[in-house]
């Protein structure tokens, strides 16, 4: 390689290292803000020492505790409990739940923290995992009975 | 070691290489893409959770993976162009940019169409979706910057620097689902672990991925040929080529 090319390669490499450094620092600084949601234990115990305050708008993401879903019989109101590994947080919501919503499912809800462990949600989104398998295999491996999201009720 | 590559710095040699490669990329690409899509969309089993809706994976995942691969290829061409000052490398870069932008758009669009029925929303500003959107803006930026210069060698250099800088976004896209909590799920096949998908669903996905890769290469090679002809139309070899093709 002739010296001019070497110089250009070194310049490109140098700029590359600087940019990678700058972006890494930026992402570290923004780390908490890039997370889409708080987990229930972060809401109760705080995240990096900062607890979300009552009245704050936030997103929560966790698993729906089996047996915790209770529906109002005359309206669309529903309440359920979310957990990750620690304490649970209750979510109240009035509206149509996504098709994938069921007990044991990962859920992301946007709303206002009205009490230390209670969220009034205005949007509920379902999270699904990266595993794909035919229903027969799922039944064999996980003991999950296939629920076609296009038909049937959400109560499993 | 790289000596064999040097002749292709000449546009004429690069053109003939592209011309020879084109059928080997185009026909297997179309065939594999059709096989993968028909197999995946019609014959693969339903998913236990998502039913038939999961089938959009056969378009979404190949386009999402290849939007990143195409970007890396484009940035590689930009590096060769900047360091070795090859005109053909910049031509390859600008040939790939619109193809990559369209593939990125397909990934974003199919992702939104998948997100609405499954997650319950078209769009959410999580790390994965946002970084993929930035990827599309990077492609558009490279195209726009290249188009803004009259002198195409200058244009190649400026757009090339932008393409190289944007490479930093690629690992961010890939690891976004691990570094931060997102609505988007983790990687299914592009990980060192065993893929988290049943084999009868995985095969059509891999075939569709291969097909789209070859298809993108074929379209890029065709665009590269056009770019060379456009830039070299006054050269004798292009005139000879035009004269011979009129005779056909």
């Amino acid at each position: 390689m002739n010296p001019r090319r070497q110089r250009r390669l070194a310049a490109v490499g140098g700029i590359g290292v600087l940019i990678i450094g700058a972006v890494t620092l930026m992402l570290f600084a923004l780390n908490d803000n890039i997370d889409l949601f708080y987990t229930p234990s972060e809401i109760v115990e705080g995240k990096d020492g900062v607890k979300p305050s009552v009245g704050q708008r936030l997103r929560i993401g966790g698993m729906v505790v089996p047996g915790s879903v209770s529906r109002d019989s005359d309206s669309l109101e529903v309440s359920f409990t979310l957990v990750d590994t620690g304490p649970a947080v209750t979510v109240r919501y009035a509206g149509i739940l996504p098709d994938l919503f069921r007990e044991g499912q990962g859920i992301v809800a946007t709303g206002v923290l009205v009490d230390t462990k209670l969220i009034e949600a205005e949007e509920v989104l379902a999270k699904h995992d990266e595993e794909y398998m035919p229903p027969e295999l799922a039944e064999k491996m996980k003991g999950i009975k296939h629920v076609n999201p296009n038909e049937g009720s959400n109560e499993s | 070691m790289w000596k064999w590559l040097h002749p292709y710095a000449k546009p004429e040699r690069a053109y003939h290489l592209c011309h020879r490669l084109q059928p080997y990329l185009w026909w297997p690409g179309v065939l594999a893409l059709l096989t993968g899509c028909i197999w995946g969309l019609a014959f693969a089993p339903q998913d236990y959770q998502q039913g038939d809706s999961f089938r959009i994976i056969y378009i979404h995942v190949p386009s999402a993976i290849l939007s990143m691969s195409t970007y890396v290829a484009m940035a590689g061409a930009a590096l060769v162009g900047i360091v070795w000052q090859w005109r053909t490398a910049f031509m390859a870069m600008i040939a790939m940019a619109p193809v990559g932008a369209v593939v990125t758009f397909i990934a974003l669009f199919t992702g939104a169409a998948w997100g609405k029925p499954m997650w319950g929303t078209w769009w959410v500003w999580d790390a994965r979706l946002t970084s993929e959107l930035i990827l599309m803006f990077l492609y558009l930026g490279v195209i726009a910057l290249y188009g803004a210069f009259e002198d195409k060698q200058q244009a190649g250099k400026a757009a090339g620097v932008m393409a190289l800088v944007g490479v930093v976004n690629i690992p961010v896209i890939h690891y976004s689902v691990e570094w931060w909590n997102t609505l988007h799920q983790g990687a299914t096949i592009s990980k060192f672990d065993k893929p988290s998908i049943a084999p009868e669903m995985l095969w059509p996905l891999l075939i569709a991925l291969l097909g789209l890769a070859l298809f993108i290469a074929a379209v890029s090679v065709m665009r590269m040929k056009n770019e060379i002809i456009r830039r070299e139309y006054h050269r004798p070899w292009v005139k000879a080529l035009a004269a011979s093709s009129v005779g056909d």
Side-chain angles (χ1 to χ4, degrees):
Chain A
M1 223 193 288
N2 71 32
R4 278 188 59 209
R5 282 173 192 166
Q6 256 168 3
R7 215 166 45 237
R8 282 194 297 259
L9 191 60
V12 169
I15 293 170
V17 168
L18 282 179
I19 286 167
I20 289 169
V23 170
T24 312
L25 287 177
M26 249 161 60
L27 291 180
F28 263 104
L30 290 172
N31 207 7
D32 292 348
N33 300 317
I34 297 174
D35 278 332
L36 186 71
F37 50 78
Y38 288 94
T39 62
S41 36
E42 281 169 353
I43 285 180
V44 176
E45 287 156 8
K47 182 180 184 180
D48 299 332
V50 187
K51 262 196 209 183
S53 50
V54 171
Q56 188 181 333
R57 260 180 66 84
L58 47 73
R59 280 206 192 88
I60 180 172
M63 289 283 188
V64 181
V65 178
S68 72
V69 182
S70 73
R71 286 162 202 272
D72 190 77
S73 47
D74 320 317
S75 68
L76 286 172
E77 260 172 57
V78 57
S79 91
F80 50 88
T81 311
L82 294 179
V83 285
D84 55 327
T85 49
V89 169
T90 305
V91 176
R92 273 204 316 238
Y93 176 63
I96 298 166
L97 292 165
D99 286 343
L100 274 185
F101 183 92
R102 52 190 88 146
E103 290 168 354
Q105 185 78 33
I107 289 295
V108 175
T110 312
V112 178
L113 192 67
V114 290
D115 195 12
T116 48
K117 285 185 171 193
L118 180 65
I119 286 175
E120 195 84 58
E122 58 217 34
E123 186 185 39
V124 173
L125 304 178
K127 195 168 150 58
H128 63 79
D129 61 15
E130 68 279 15
E131 293 186 7
Y132 306 93
M133 58 183 93
E136 309 83 56
L137 188 64
E139 219 177 309
K140 221 183 300 170
M141 279 177 58
K142 299 185 155 183
I144 298 171
K145 199 88 178 111
H146 174 56
V147 186
N148 188 338
N150 301 320
E151 55 192 55
S153 71
N154 290 319
E155 280 137 308
S156 48
Chain B
M1 177 184 168
W2 297 101
K3 275 271 185 279
W4 59 272
L5 245 173
H6 289 182
Y8 299 110
K10 274 180 68 185
E12 186 179 354
R13 289 294 296 272
Y15 178 90
H16 289 296
L17 177 71
C18 287
H19 192 70
R20 243 180 305 137
L21 281 178
Q22 189 183 320
Y24 298 106
L25 298 170
W26 176 257
W27 292 111
V30 169
L31 192 71
L33 199 53
L34 281 176
T35 313
C37 285
I38 293 171
W39 185 356
L41 296 178
F43 299 106
Q46 285 193 345
D47 181 54
Y48 76 111
Q49 270 198 321
Q50 303 184 36
D52 283 328
S53 309
F54 106 101
R55 290 180 197 281
I56 202 165
I57 198 174
Y58 295 108
I59 298 167
H60 178 72
V61 166
S63 54
I65 291 177
L66 290 167
S67 68
M68 293 191 275
S69 320
T70 308
Y71 194 90
V72 173
M74 184 180 85
L79 181 71
V80 172
I82 287 171
V83 175
W84 283 269
Q85 309 262 301
W86 283 20
R87 296 167 58 227
T88 45
F90 287 135
M91 293 178 197
M93 176 189 80
I94 204 60
M96 280 186 264
V99 185
V102 169
V103 172
T104 313
F105 178 78
I106 293 172
L108 287 168
F109 182 82
T110 53
W114 194 2
K116 185 61 186 169
M118 287 303 123
W119 296 341
T121 183
W122 297 102
W123 185 263
V124 60
W125 292 101
D126 83 350
R128 172 58 72 83
L129 276 65
T130 310
S131 53
E132 182 75 8
L133 184 68
I134 291 171
L135 183 71
M136 188 164 87
F137 291 152
L138 281 170
Y139 274 121
L140 297 180
V142 167
I143 297 167
L145 197 56
Y146 189 84
F149 283 83
E150 196 67 43
D151 173 8
K152 288 305 169 200
Q153 192 60 17
Q154 282 296 320
K157 266 186 224 162
V161 169
M162 181 163 184
L164 279 177
V165 168
V167 173
V168 78
N169 191 33
I170 299 294
V172 174
I173 297 176
H174 184 78
Y175 290 106
S176 55
V177 290
E178 291 174 26
W179 291 344
W180 302 289
N181 58 40
T182 54
L183 186 61
H184 195 286
Q185 68 283 5
T188 298
I189 57 171
S190 54
K191 57 182 184 187
F192 293 110
D193 223 347
K194 200 169 145 285
S196 327
I197 176 167
E200 62 266 49
M201 294 164 152
L202 178 63
W203 279 111
L205 184 56
L206 292 180
I207 292 170
L209 180 64
L210 176 73
L212 189 63
L214 291 172
F215 185 81
I216 289 171
V219 174
S220 303
V221 156
M222 285 180 207
R223 284 186 43 83
M224 172 96 181
K225 277 167 67 184
N226 279 349
E227 188 64 27
I228 294 173
I229 295 286
R230 192 182 306 148
R231 296 268 295 273
E232 302 279 303
Y233 68 94
H234 53 275
R235 297 286 162 92
W237 71 268
V238 179
K239 287 186 178 139
L241 195 75
S244 73
S245 64
V246 167
D248 288 345

